[in-house]
Amino acid sequence: MSPAFNEKKNIIECYERVKRVFEENLNDYEYEHIFADNCSTDGTLPLLKTIAQNDKRIKVISNSRNYGVFPSTFNAILKSSGDAIIPMLPVDLQDPPEILPQFIKEWEKGFKVVAGNRKNREENFILKNIRKLYYLIISKISNFELPQNVGEFQLIDKDVVQALKLFDDYNPYIRGMIASCGFPSTTIYYKHVKRKYGKSKFSLLSYFDTSLNALISVSNMPMRVSFFAGLAISLSSIFWASFILFETLVSNKQLAQPGVTSLLIGVFFFNGVILLFLGLIGEYISAIHSQVRKKPLVIEKENINF
């Protein structure tokens, strides 16, 4: 599955490199290459149509608008028909298709999931370490085993695809969904390279949105943190109020100007109570959220070669 939004410069090379891999290393296998176009405006879609007209293995989903990389990719996954699929092969080729034979070799051994681990990244020091911290936090708080440095560039068996079809989420965190299925898996390490043409369409806001969605999707720990933080602050306020009352009545000491102490105690106490109940409400919202996030995944404008 290759999602695309204004990636005209990368389409041809992506198509040809995948084709070359199968012709030279995987000629015993048939394949389909699904491109999901998110309403590109730079000529990406006409180019995809031309390629699909000449090669029936190329299938194109044209979305009515830009739904984002993960909804459009997941929609393409649901339309796949192979015995095994690559959930996402970005057209920028930062994840090299040349390691597909390694994926298939491990799949032939019986692994239902062959995860691609981005052990090395061609990016700046700060961003690289932010990613490491993010993956570490996500893996630690997840309700299931979530491998670090693994994205959607992996191979999954058709049994995993069938399991993914049971999910009903309009903003799917695909790598988390795959991991949560619990199928036997192994890992292939590779180098994540810089994109050759154009700029990434993934903005800082997109990264933040994806990170937040990941937190919500794989764990209820953020809500639990709010709950226990509120509880701790409330208890601390009660202990502090008891101490002030003891010092004032028993030791006859005035630790602050009249009224200041009670004001501070009230502020901290009620802030703690608010966080406490926000945490409780958050638990309910989190449960409801998991059940009712129902919108059309994408609205398709046109399908080619399906």
Side-chain angles (χ1 to χ4, degrees):
M1 315 305 148
S2 294
F5 176 66
N6 292 342
E7 293 284 2
K8 183 179 179 180
K9 293 181 179 180
N10 292 304
I11 293 296
I12 294 293
E13 184 172 352
C14 179
Y15 160 68
E16 290 182 344
R17 283 175 62 176
V18 171
K19 180 181 178 181
R20 189 181 309 123
V21 167
F22 276 89
E23 287 177 347
E24 296 178 357
N25 304 105
L26 300 169
N27 51 21
D28 291 334
Y29 286 90
E30 295 181 357
Y31 77 97
E32 62 179 4
H33 192 170
I34 301 176
F35 288 88
D37 180 68
N38 271 312
C39 203
S40 297
T41 57
D42 69 338
T44 295
L45 183 58
L47 179 58
L48 287 172
K49 287 182 177 181
T50 300
I51 296 172
Q53 185 176 5
N54 297 318
D55 189 342
K56 298 305 178 182
R57 295 171 299 186
I58 305 306
K59 300 182 178 182
V60 182
I61 301 172
S62 174
N63 296 330
S64 62
R65 65 173 177 83
N66 186 357
Y67 285 90
V69 60
F70 295 110
S72 59
T73 300
F74 192 69
N75 180 60
I77 291 173
L78 299 180
K79 287 183 170 292
S80 64
S81 60
D83 291 326
I85 72 164
I86 307 296
M88 186 191 298
L89 175 62
V91 295
D92 59 18
L93 299 172
Q94 290 184 278
D95 301 304
E98 285 72 21
I99 69 170
L100 293 182
Q102 297 180 50
F103 281 172
I104 291 178
K105 184 177 180 181
E106 296 300 316
W107 172 63
E108 289 174 338
K109 293 178 181 178
F111 292 104
K112 298 292 186 179
V113 177
V114 184
N117 187 300
R118 298 162 177 168
K119 187 177 182 179
N120 296 312
R121 285 178 175 268
E122 291 184 349
E123 60 185 2
N124 65 68
F125 177 81
I126 295 176
L127 187 57
K128 184 182 295 185
N129 283 277
I130 290 175
R131 287 187 191 277
K132 285 183 179 179
L133 179 61
Y134 164 72
Y135 279 119
L136 178 63
I137 293 173
I138 288 292
S139 63
K140 292 296 183 183
I141 69 172
S142 174
N143 296 327
F144 46 86
E145 185 177 353
L146 190 64
Q148 297 185 39
N149 301 316
V150 171
E152 281 69 33
F153 183 57
Q154 47 187 305
L155 180 145
I156 61 175
D157 186 83
K158 62 181 179 181
D159 291 341
V160 184
V161 176
Q162 291 301 315
L164 292 179
K165 290 180 179 181
L166 301 176
F167 287 79
D168 187 9
D169 195 335
Y170 79 96
N171 192 14
Y173 183 57
I174 301 174
R175 68 191 73 171
M177 294 160 69
I178 293 172
S180 71
C181 292
F183 286 92
S185 64
T186 188
T187 302
I188 298 292
Y189 295 92
Y190 70 97
K191 185 177 182 179
H192 188 258
V193 301
K194 291 182 179 179
R195 67 160 43 225
K196 189 174 180 180
Y197 300 110
K199 294 182 179 180
S200 174
K201 312 306 184 296
F202 228 62
S203 64
L204 185 62
L205 183 61
S206 299
Y207 279 115
F208 177 78
D209 180 67
T210 300
S211 301
L212 192 58
N213 184 52
L215 284 172
I216 293 172
S217 299
V218 304
S219 176
N220 58 1
M221 183 61 72
M223 298 300 180
R224 294 277 170 84
V225 169
S226 298
F227 175 83
F228 287 112
L231 183 62
I233 293 173
S234 297
L235 292 176
S236 299
S237 299
I238 293 172
F239 287 131
W240 177 247
S242 301
F243 173 73
I244 294 298
L245 182 63
F246 176 82
E247 289 292 312
T248 302
L249 297 180
V250 178
S251 302
N252 198 26
K253 293 180 180 179
Q254 185 172 321
L255 301 180
Q257 293 297 322
V260 174
T261 300
S262 58
L263 177 62
L264 290 175
I265 291 173
V267 169
F268 280 105
F269 178 77
F270 285 109
N271 279 340
V273 170
I274 290 171
L275 284 173
L276 172 66
F277 282 99
L278 279 176
L280 287 172
I281 293 172
E283 290 284 350
Y284 287 99
I285 293 175
S286 180
I288 297 169
H289 159 277
S290 299
Q291 296 295 326
V292 302
R293 283 179 89 181
K294 292 183 179 178
K295 290 183 179 180
L297 195 60
V298 302
I299 295 177
E300 300 170 354
K301 185 168 58 177
E302 184 180 6
N303 286 335
I304 301 171
N305 287 344
F306 281 91

